[in-house]
Amino acid sequence: MIFQILLAITILASSACGLIIEIVAGRLLAPVFGMSLYTWTSIIAVVLAGLSVGHWIGGNLTRGHFVKRAQFIKIGYALFLSSLTSLLILLLLDFIPHILQMANLSVINAILVSSFILFFLPSLFVGIVSPLATKLAIDINPQDESGVVIGRMYALGSAGAIFGALLAGYFLISTLGSRNTVILVAVIYFALGSVFFLIGYKQNAKVMIIPLAIGVSMMAGAQKTGALKSQCVTESNYFCIQIQDVGMAGAETRLIALDHLVHSINEKDQPKRLHSPYVHFVDEYISLRFGDRPPQSFFIGGGGFSLPRAWIAKYQGKADITIAEIDPKVTDIAKAKLWFSPDGSKTKVIHGDARYELNKLADDVKFDLVFGDAFQDISIPEHLVTQEFNDLIARRLHDDGVYLVNVVDNAKRPLFLLSYVKTLQHSFDRVEVWFEPDPRQQGMRTTFIVVGTNTPLEDDFINAENGFERSWWRWPNTKLVSASANEQLPILTDDRAPVDKLMSGLLLGNVR
């Protein structure tokens, strides 16, 4: 009976650990590649491939005459190898993605190869455990019907996977961090493997010397190379949040990066100095439209809260600003390290999804400005680009209100941008695209500012009146309408919004 309980616990725990590694894999790769659909697709495919090969190998290892001691030893080896290859993830994590980037692989190919090198072997070795443990459970109690035992072990495996996914997503990553979570998984594998080794080798503790020495050596190597130290200031349930000091000439300046994407740059003593060109554009555009009147604004995404911070200073706290930031830790970091201080102003931060929060507002609540600056990797979350969401925004704007959206796309073939413009044209009388003409800004990855309104300005270009010397040009309206009229460009809807597919030209190339 005690062996049956041990095997049940092993199936439950190993399945949980396998799913924890799968969830953590996305967080580990996010600071390099972001969290796109392609990232998760590669990780899931690699982990499932590893488990499949492991199940096949484990099934083949059950062949031959049953010897209980030998079966325990086989499971012990599989668990030890699962532990060691999990630690190997940390040793290789800071090298493999960067080597692949230097090899000029496309982003998608780099994600796939990195996922395979880092996560295939841990999945393979833990996949070996399940068929070995199930066969051992059947052979230990031959009086039990094999189908009943197999069903029980499958159920335990599924339950463990569910528990592991929930534990990683809701607790471990945000509490321990992704790297410490990997260490915890490796320790669990090692502890389980030790039990099986000691049973198989009749409690001869000497057999533990070699695997223990290898594990300790790998941990020491990881510590020495800095592989145990995360580059994140903190890891939330949404992002790896990074802060860097980038001050020059004595100015205290910091940037915030969420996963691998820089979101904001703030200067301590100059809150109205806007370093990001697209944020600067919004400030200049709103000044042209509303003059000195503080706009009633709704911000989709906070990031470093650069523009709200600037407007608190510019309008002396009188601007009515509502910010929907999905991650409370981003707000905490902005207050602690980026000098965002909404206290005493009319600025309100809501922690939730912008679409959900806009829907919750009373029907008569309207805004002069809605500014979309929410990103998932380098793309806008799909549910925030659809016609249904655009219609919601249009209903939330005053008659002279404006919807501005920060969009990143391929400069030479911006299929997502044009599809998005085509979609917005169903909700607004006029849709414009603005960009900075500086050729240094026009690489393969370019930032555009999309404007949706029923009362457009007639300017063809805007020169900055404050802060850095910049200018922005408007895409000629007739050419934009013609380009977006392409029948092959889809209207983005809640039912179908293929954002990643439309941006594949950017993702398949070398983003810079």
Side-chain angles (χ1 to χ4, degrees), residues 392-460:
L392 171 62
I393 295 293
R395 292 195 301 272
R396 289 296 179 189
L397 288 172
H398 294 299
D399 291 341
D400 62 345
V402 60
Y403 181 33
L404 283 84
V405 190
N406 176 24
V407 175
V408 176
D409 205 349
N410 189 308
K412 297 181 179 179
R413 198 165 179 261
L415 296 182
F416 166 67
L417 172 70
L418 293 174
S419 188
Y420 185 46
V421 167
K422 185 177 183 179
T423 304
L424 280 165
Q425 288 167 349
H426 288 262
S427 304
F428 296 93
D429 293 342
R430 175 79 168 265
V431 179
E432 301 174 346
V433 173
W434 292 79
F435 57 92
E436 193 179 10
D438 186 346
R440 293 171 297 178
Q441 301 292 329
Q442 303 303 315
M444 181 174 289
R445 188 177 82 183
T446 299
T447 298
F448 301 93
I449 305 97
V450 180
V451 177
T453 184
N454 296 327
T455 56
L457 298 175
E458 295 305 325
D459 302 72
D460 293 324

Side-chain angles (χ1 to χ4, degrees), residues 43 123 162 197 473:
I43 290 168
S123 302
I162 294 169
F197 244 42
W473 291 1

Side-chain angles (χ1 to χ4, degrees), residues 21 41 83 93 106 118 122 162 174 183 197 229 235 256 274 277 295 302 335 344 346 355 419 467 474:
I21 289 294
T41 300
S83 176
L93 179 63
S106 70
L118 295 172
I162 294 169
S174 58
I183 294 172
F197 244 42
K229 184 179 180 181
E235 287 187 77
I256 181 172
L274 299 169
K335 290 179 178 178
K346 297 175 68 176
R355 183 165 177 173
S419 188
R474 179 170 59 82

